[in-house]
Amino acid sequence: QVQLVESGGGLVQAGDSLRLSCSASGRTFSNYAIAWFRQAPGKEREFVAAITWTGVRTQYEDSVKGRFTISRDNAKNTVYLQMNSLKLEDTAVYYCAAPQDLFVTPGTTRETYYYWGQGAQVTVSS
């Protein structure tokens, strides 16, 4: 069982940076792949980034490559999403997610993930 809680959202201007945190409960957190998704108003929830349980491999959606960085600190049971050069189109509710099973290779579809946080609002203004 994993419980996920996002934090760090807020209102920023275009070009600014923001770091989201995903804090998790559970002793086996270090064995879970973790992903970030986002959902803008009126749109489907979409994949943003994912990281393996070791933290060695990461994956990004094309529009955030070079601007966003996903990382994890297993000692703190936390995964981060550093977002730089934010754009208006990055405005969305951001969710972190974990699959149901341990040691799963992270995917880019919602169906890969079972545990979800409550979401953190990120608003980018001009």
Side-chain angles (χ1 to χ4, degrees), residues 4-66:
L4 305 172
V5 178
E6 301 92 340
S7 62
L11 172 64
V12 296
Q13 291 188 321
D16 285 351
S17 298
L18 203 61
R19 188 177 78 163
L20 300 181
S21 298
C22 173
S23 298
S25 63
R27 293 174 295 175
T28 57
F29 169 77
S30 61
N31 296 330
Y32 284 96
I34 299 291
W36 286 95
F37 283 74
R38 65 186 179 186
Q39 187 166 17
K43 294 188 176 182
E44 295 288 319
R45 192 171 299 187
E46 64 173 2
F47 171 79
V48 175
I51 190 167
T52 56
W53 61 91
T54 61
V56 172
R57 287 191 295 152
T58 58
Q59 189 173 4
Y60 298 93
E61 192 268 330
D62 287 345
S63 70
V64 307
K65 284 181 181 177

Side-chain angles (χ1 to χ4, degrees), residues 20-24 29 32 34-36 51 70-74 76-81 96:
L20 300 181
S21 298
C22 173
S23 298
F29 169 77
Y32 284 96
I34 299 291
W36 286 95
I51 190 167
I70 188 171
S71 62
R72 67 190 300 158
D73 185 340
N74 286 338
K76 295 182 179 180
N77 276 15
T78 302
V79 170
Y80 304 99
L81 185 68
C96 61

